[in-house]
Amino acid sequence: MNQPVETLRDRKKRRTRAALERAALRLSAEKGYDHVTVEEIAAEADVSVRTFFNYFASKDEAVIGVDPETGPRVVARIFAAPEDASPFEAYRQAVLAEITDDLENARELWLLRKDVLTQRPDLLVRMFTSNAESEQLLADAVARRAGLPESHLYPRLLVAAGGTAFRCAVARWAFDDTVALGDVVGAALDMFATGLAHVPPHQTEGGAS
Amino acid sequence: MNQPVETLRDRKKRRTRAALERAALRLSAEKGYDHVTVEEIAAEADVSVRTFFNYFASKDEAVIGVDPETGPRVVARIFAAPEDASPFEAYRQAVLAEITDDLENARELWLLRKDVLTQRPDLLVRMFTSNAESEQLLADAVARRAGLPESHLYPRLLVAAGGTAFRCAVARWAFDDTVALGDVVGAALDMFATGLAHVPPHQTEGGAS
DNA sequence: GGACTTTTTTGCAGTCTCTGCAAGTTTGCA
DNA sequence: TGCAAACTTGCAGAGACTGCAAAAAAGTCC
């Protein structure tokens, strides 16, 4: 029907969004998140303040890097997993693939973001779990793969756990980025997979400190 | 040294905080969170707007019911658990006890809060995980009980998982409050305990839908 | 009770985030 | 070229939140 052809408009929009995100991160890393105004961000990206708010609902969203395409893309990845993969495995693969890709495509942004999130850990909380909407999307996808009713706890819990794994991993990665973020997320997901009932053996990844 | 005697000042402060929280919740449940101003909340609690902000750093915090005493109290509960309890068990007991108590002491507030959190699920995200500070406190407590270094992933992950369990449980409870909130949190924590690798057998609590 | 210290409350001025609206510009398309 | 749809922008305004200094209240000591 509609081939996903990228029109000039689309390209411009993507560029503007990227410019705003980059500006927000660069300035926040440099001067501190609280000392940067939306006005400055918009100026650096060469658009009006009003336009900033056409792209991001809040200043927070800009540094978080909220992207409306992420949710649907991860859902697609969940369904793209092998037939015989468990719901957990499907979700795990989708999340790790998304992270790896994003880190690949925007490594510099992530390095800046690391700084900003260290300044304001509360923003980190809203990153993966950013909007209830996309979380709902993912939970529905997991539920379908698991053959569970939407009201069941498991899908929501799994998706939320993924967000939590991501959050903790970023926190740890910000503390020591000699390890790959994807690996830390993977490790965290493994702990969730096998259960938290017992303290894991001392196989600290990296063994730092 | 300093007996925990409750002076008049302390009592007034507690009352004011409670009045503000109640006002925030009542008005939000009635008119919708976005249609309530801090001015109205302060008026209903019979204090000035400026005083509102002396108690809560933001409008959000008022409906969330942020209380500076909660963090330390849960930490105390973690250490109060039986010597032979695993870190997970200690944490689990602490969380469940806190929830049970709070629900006991402020049931009406929770019924209002349920409404508000249904309107704005994003606030729910910030509830348990509200501030990075108290999360840090809890993680340190768990780490000490587990004999792990502070940098280890496990304590942070466990605490964050608790927050997640709580969050998902509230979401489900808001949807159907014929079950006790504490029980749903318990069920969620059980899933985390045994691991999310496999879809749990269909022992749906309540079996709704 | 009166004088003095410490806390808490309050008003005020001011900054910043965010929204609705209407007009101006750019892009897509026939 | 000409029209329609999508974006951008400025503007006015509501509302959240902060710093500051004065006023009020509570605790203390004589």
Side-chain angles (χ1 to χ4, degrees):
Chain A
M1 193 53 69
N2 55 350
Q3 37 177 338
V5 66
E6 172 132 291
T7 152
L8 168 63
R9 227 169 229 167
D10 294 336
R11 228 173 312 136
K12 274 201 167 178
K13 279 185 75 173
R14 193 199 297 282
R15 264 196 229 129
T16 302
R17 175 179 292 271
L20 284 170
E21 189 180 337
R22 176 179 314 267
L25 282 170
R26 208 190 65 66
L27 289 171
S28 296
E30 179 188 329
K31 315 173 40 177
Y33 180 79
D34 306 317
H35 300 133
V36 176
T37 67
V38 172
E39 201 172 341
E40 294 172 288
I41 297 171
E44 171 132 339
D46 230 358
V47 294
S48 72
V49 171
R50 195 61 186 76
T51 295
F52 174 96
F53 284 108
N54 285 339
Y55 281 86
F56 298 101
S58 69
K59 190 178 146 192
D60 295 355
E61 285 198 358
V63 303
I64 288 177
V66 168
D67 181 347
E69 296 174 22
T70 304
R73 188 170 51 230
V74 176
V75 167
R77 285 184 146 132
I78 290 174
F79 287 124
E83 267 297 328
D84 59 336
S86 67
F88 180 88
E89 252 312 295
Y91 179 64
R92 178 198 160 94
Q93 285 179 21
V95 168
L96 290 181
E98 179 68 22
I99 291 173
T100 308
D101 277 16
D102 197 39
L103 213 53
E104 185 91 9
N105 298 331
R107 192 175 300 273
E108 344 126 57
L109 289 190
W110 271 100
L111 293 177
L112 293 173
R113 191 171 287 140
K114 198 179 55 167
D115 276 9
V116 180
L117 295 177
T118 305
Q119 287 173 39
R120 301 263 322 229
D122 57 302
L123 293 181
L124 185 48
V125 175
R126 288 187 252 168
M127 271 214 69
F128 197 99
T129 318
S130 58
N131 55 66
E133 198 178 321
S134 80
E135 203 172 29
Q136 176 72 36
L137 229 57
L138 298 192
D140 287 349
V142 170
R144 199 159 338 147
R145 266 203 84 121
L148 290 173
E150 292 186 7
S151 68
H152 198 283
L153 245 186
Y154 179 79
R156 299 187 160 285
L157 208 60
L158 177 52
V159 171
T164 303
F166 179 70
R167 185 160 74 78
C168 292
V170 170
R172 199 184 181 304
W173 178 65
F175 179 74
D176 158 30
D177 64 359
T178 61
V179 286
L181 177 57
D183 290 348
V184 188
V185 176
L189 280 172
D190 284 345
M191 287 194 199
F192 279 134
T194 60
L196 301 177
H198 302 291
V199 180
H202 227 303
Q203 36 75 284
T204 323
E205 355 62 46
S209 158
Chain B
M1 192 58 65
N2 54 352
Q3 38 177 334
V5 65
E6 172 132 290
T7 153
L8 169 60
R9 231 170 223 168
D10 295 335
R11 225 173 312 136
K12 271 202 168 177
K13 277 186 79 171
R14 193 200 298 283
R15 263 196 229 130
T16 303
R17 175 179 291 272
L20 284 170
E21 189 180 338
R22 176 179 313 268
L25 283 170
R26 207 190 65 66
L27 289 171
S28 297
E30 179 189 329
K31 314 173 42 177
Y33 181 79
D34 306 317
H35 299 135
V36 176
T37 68
V38 172
E39 200 173 342
E40 294 172 289
I41 297 172
E44 171 132 342
D46 230 358
V47 294
S48 73
V49 171
R50 194 64 187 76
T51 295
F52 174 95
F53 285 109
N54 285 339
Y55 282 86
F56 298 102
S58 68
K59 190 178 145 192
D60 295 356
E61 284 199 358
V63 304
I64 288 177
V66 168
D67 181 346
E69 297 173 22
T70 306
R73 188 169 51 229
V74 176
V75 167
R77 283 183 147 134
I78 289 175
F79 288 123
E83 267 298 326
D84 60 336
S86 67
F88 180 88
E89 253 312 296
Y91 179 64
R92 178 198 161 93
Q93 285 179 20
V95 169
L96 290 181
E98 180 68 23
I99 292 173
T100 308
D101 277 15
D102 196 39
L103 213 53
E104 186 90 7
N105 298 332
R107 191 174 300 275
E108 343 126 57
L109 289 192
W110 271 100
L111 294 177
L112 293 172
R113 192 170 287 141
K114 199 179 55 170
D115 275 9
V116 180
L117 294 176
T118 306
Q119 288 172 40
R120 300 263 322 231
D122 57 302
L123 293 181
L124 186 47
V125 175
R126 289 187 252 169
M127 272 214 70
F128 198 99
T129 318
S130 57
N131 54 67
E133 199 179 322
S134 80
E135 202 171 31
Q136 177 73 36
L137 229 58
L138 298 192
D140 287 349
V142 170
R144 198 160 338 149
R145 266 204 83 122
L148 290 173
E150 291 187 5
S151 66
H152 199 283
L153 246 186
Y154 180 79
R156 299 187 162 284
L157 208 60
L158 176 52
V159 171
T164 304
F166 179 70
R167 185 160 73 77
C168 292
V170 170
R172 198 185 182 303
W173 177 65
F175 179 75
D176 159 29
D177 64 359
T178 60
V179 285
L181 177 57
D183 291 347
V184 188
V185 176
L189 280 173
D190 284 344
M191 288 192 198
F192 277 129
T194 60
L196 301 176
H198 304 289
V199 180
H202 227 303
Q203 34 77 284
T204 323
E205 355 60 50
S209 160

